[in-house]
Amino acid sequence: MHHTAVIFLEFGAVVLGLGVLGAFALRVGISPIPLYLIAGLAFGTGGVLPLATSEEFISVGAELGVVLLLLTLGLEYNADELVTSLTGNARAGIVDLVLNAAPGAIIALLLGWGPVAAVAMAGVTYATSSGITAKVLSDLGWIGNRETPTVLSLLVFEDLTMAIYLPVLTTMLAGLSLVSGAISVGIALATVSVVLVLALKFGRFIEAFVRSPNSEVLLLKVVGLALLVAGLAQQLQVSAAVGAFLVGIALSGQLAEDARALLAPLRDLFAAVFFVFFGLQTDPAKILPVAGLAALLALVSMITKLLTGAYAAKRAGIAKAGRARAGIALIPRGEFNIVIAGLAVGAGVHPDLGALAAAYVLILAAFGPLAAKLVQPFITAIAKRA
Amino acid sequence: MEVEQTALPGIGLRHDFTTRRGQRVGVVSHRTGRRDLVIYDKDDPDAVCHTVKLNDEEADALAELLGAPRIVQRLNQLHQQVAGLVSVQLPIPAGSPYVGRPMGDARVRTRTSASIVAVVRAGQVFASPGPEFVFDAGDVVVVVGSEDSTAEVAGILAEG
């Protein structure tokens, strides 16, 4: 068969399959991310239906998916919100970082995977999925709740932390010696700071350039700019994801809102491809041996997120029931965690890291939203008793 | 009464306040234009127990419904403050000769020296309508003037 024909047949089948899985997730009321991962496991090496030729094609799609994911994530918040959350919620944000990075880091060290894997796993357990959490808040009617601003500002804080964390991780993954590693980290952080300051101070110039009344022109300009900066960032060892994220932050207001709406379908397609690709790279045979470990890690990091939410909400003067809700809303992990694990797997940190991260995210992306739904009646009971 | 404003990063803004009877209510303004009317739980004051999702049109309609009676109420307060001035609400009956005709035809101001300051139609307020404003049966006309002149307007609107 012709090469293009095979690619189209395989890729088409995968995407169509994802559509069917997405419909199922919608009906059951869970996030489709875990299902996409499972699909990837099935199509990968050692899976039920290994793909013959289109893996390379899918890998490029996955890279695009990461860029689009991070770009839209950056568009979600404007520069003002980032600064306010830094100044107002720094303490809760740091508690979040310490409590939730610890489980991943500790487990990697206990397993003897080394410091680089520890940093990667710290990122995997740290970040809450802002996408899934936003959906949980909306589905359960929690958006108007008084603890919700606290939850949202923690998510903003996490995103900012990621802007610093990702370049550090990328540099460490590059496996440089201590001195040259430190220099690259320095360069990476300086680049991030410069771009962040430029975005804050001169965001409106970038906006003036990108702005267009025509949605086609706007789409092309935003995607082009994001890819360009992502490529530049990759070249500077800062990771393409961070570049795209910074472009997203630089754009704000109505422009960001329009761009987000335009990018959403594109992002949905390529992000799904990214999750599949991550699954492809993971050997399903490796999942089972680490399943117990992943479950334990999930349980521990559920508790640490609950504590984080309770602490942050208490500081904001929220009563007991609201504190519990804040913690639960923070449980889901998803896209960011897989992006981090993907970087680590790409660098070949440890053969089992991908499987552990996949199993971990599978559990928390699926269980997080369900937990919130199941626990809601109990929380109401707490409130009634108080 | 104090209205609290809270930023919701990535979503929009929330405004809320507690009524004199102790019920907390709020409005979440999404960046997408959606508005949520939220009612807080009495047992758990941090939690929303009812969310009413409104699109642009519905939010406008609700705002007008809540706003319209207040304009009339303020007019009533106004005439209490100024001696000799009254404001009255006069319905346009179905048999009125002015149904379907522009307000200018009634020449209210020239004939009575009272002023039509607003027309309320289906809960919606048309403030300071011009002479080209066309009356409809069931409209309520808000008239400001002396006791006698407003009574004359009532007669004109009913019989011509």
Side-chain angles (χ1 to χ4, degrees):
Chain A
M1 235 190 303
H2 195 272
H3 183 62
T4 314
V6 179
I7 287 185
F8 282 0
L9 282 172
E10 288 191 355
F11 190 63
V14 170
V15 174
L16 189 65
L18 295 183
V20 173
L21 286 176
F24 173 73
L26 205 65
R27 175 163 294 187
V28 185
I30 61 167
S31 158
I33 294 174
L35 297 182
Y36 295 163
L37 284 175
I38 292 174
L41 288 174
F43 291 128
T45 26
V48 205
L49 273 171
L51 294 179
T53 54
S54 56
E55 191 155 338
E56 198 178 327
F57 184 70
I58 289 183
S59 99
V60 175
E63 298 285 350
L64 271 175
V66 174
V67 167
L68 290 171
L69 259 176
L70 274 283
L71 172 64
T72 46
L73 216 58
L75 285 173
E76 211 167 295
Y77 308 121
N78 56 45
D80 288 341
E81 287 172 346
L82 292 176
V83 174
T84 324
S85 114
L86 252 192
T87 51
N89 294 285
R91 195 180 297 191
I94 288 166
V95 168
D96 180 27
L97 175 61
V98 172
L99 276 183
N100 295 290
I106 291 171
I107 213 160
L109 290 176
L110 284 180
L111 291 169
W113 288 1
V116 177
V119 171
M121 282 306 295
V124 170
T125 52
Y126 165 55
T128 290
S129 161
S130 58
I132 301 181
T133 293
K135 198 169 176 318
V136 167
L137 293 174
S138 169
D139 286 353
L140 295 179
W142 288 1
I143 287 181
N145 283 11
R146 303 222 292 166
E147 74 277 2
T148 297
T150 315
V151 172
L152 294 173
S153 59
L154 277 177
L155 296 181
V156 179
F157 190 91
E158 288 189 359
D159 276 8
L160 262 185
T161 316
M162 280 299 139
I164 300 167
Y165 168 84
L166 284 177
V168 171
L169 177 70
T170 325
T171 326
M172 291 183 76
L173 289 174
L176 303 169
S177 73
L178 203 60
V179 179
S180 60
I183 294 172
S184 328
V185 168
I187 293 176
L189 290 185
T191 316
V192 170
S193 324
V194 168
V195 175
L196 215 53
V197 169
L198 282 179
L200 285 172
K201 293 264 180 211
F202 303 106
R204 59 208 157 86
F205 294 115
I206 306 171
E207 278 171 35
F209 165 71
V210 174
R211 191 181 308 280
S212 167
N214 183 302
S215 54
E216 190 180 331
V217 175
L218 180 63
L219 180 70
L220 291 174
K221 277 184 174 174
V222 172
V223 173
L225 189 65
L227 287 175
L228 207 62
V229 176
L232 211 63
Q234 187 77 26
Q235 199 63 39
L236 287 170
Q237 301 272 0
V238 192
S239 124
V242 174
F245 181 60
L246 291 173
V247 170
I249 289 178
L251 305 174
S252 62
Q254 190 56 45
L255 177 70
E257 200 54 54
D258 294 345
R260 206 150 73 102
L262 282 173
L263 286 169
L266 210 56
R267 183 221 30 215
D268 290 345
L269 172 62
F270 287 104
V273 171
F274 164 69
F275 294 124
V276 169
F277 181 67
F278 185 81
L280 281 183
Q281 290 175 302
T282 314
D283 186 350
K286 281 190 178 156
I287 292 263
L288 212 57
V290 294
L293 205 58
L296 178 72
L297 193 59
L299 185 70
V300 171
S301 61
M302 263 172 72
I303 296 169
T304 52
K305 277 289 179 195
L306 281 173
L307 291 175
T308 306
Y311 170 78
K314 190 178 178 190
R315 264 173 57 90
I318 304 295
K320 271 187 189 151
R323 288 179 214 162
R325 278 191 303 268
I328 290 164
L330 288 170
I331 288 176
R333 311 295 208 280
E335 53 277 41
F336 243 147
N337 319 72
I338 294 292
V339 169
I340 295 165
L343 289 172
V345 169
V349 170
H350 192 278
D352 286 339
L353 193 145
L356 180 60
Y360 172 79
V361 173
L362 272 179
I363 296 170
L364 285 184
F367 187 67
L370 281 181
K373 250 172 244 174
L374 295 176
V375 168
Q376 189 161 30
F378 294 101
I379 295 177
T380 318
I382 299 179
K384 285 245 151 59
R385 204 142 37 93
Chain B
M1 189 184 84
E2 208 173 305
V3 179
E4 258 184 66
Q5 181 187 319
T6 318
L8 298 175
I11 293 175
L13 269 182
R14 188 189 76 206
H15 290 92
D16 57 44
F17 64 90
T18 308
T19 64
R20 192 175 297 181
R21 289 175 171 234
Q23 175 66 61
R24 198 155 184 92
V25 293
V27 173
V28 178
S29 313
H30 294 252
R31 283 190 194 150
T32 54
R34 190 180 111 190
R35 298 278 181 281
D36 290 349
L37 177 66
V38 293
I39 314 288
Y40 288 86
D41 197 331
K42 286 210 168 179
D43 292 321
D44 178 2
D46 298 323
V48 168
C49 60
H50 286 293
T51 303
V52 185
K53 294 177 187 173
L54 303 165
N55 63 22
D56 280 351
E57 196 189 340
E58 293 154 356
D60 282 348
L62 184 64
E64 267 156 14
L65 286 174
L66 292 171
R70 285 194 44 86
I71 289 180
V72 175
Q73 201 183 345
R74 275 191 216 136
L75 279 171
N76 285 337
Q77 284 165 352
L78 181 76
H79 87 79
Q80 279 166 4
Q81 286 158 5
V82 183
L85 192 66
V86 292
S87 73
V88 289
Q89 299 172 45
L90 304 170
I92 305 269
S96 163
Y98 294 106
V99 169
R101 283 172 63 190
M103 200 176 89
D105 286 7
R107 296 187 300 120
V108 165
R109 203 183 175 100
T110 337
R111 286 158 75 184
T112 68
S113 78
S115 299
I116 294 179
V117 295
V119 177
V120 184
R121 176 179 297 166
Q124 208 176 345
V125 174
F126 298 89
S128 1
E132 70 291 338
F133 185 92
V134 178
F135 286 131
D136 210 352
D139 285 355
V140 175
V141 180
V142 183
V143 185
V144 175
S146 68
E147 197 97 39
D148 293 341
S149 62
T150 51
E152 280 176 54
V153 178
I156 290 171
L157 292 181
E159 283 138 29

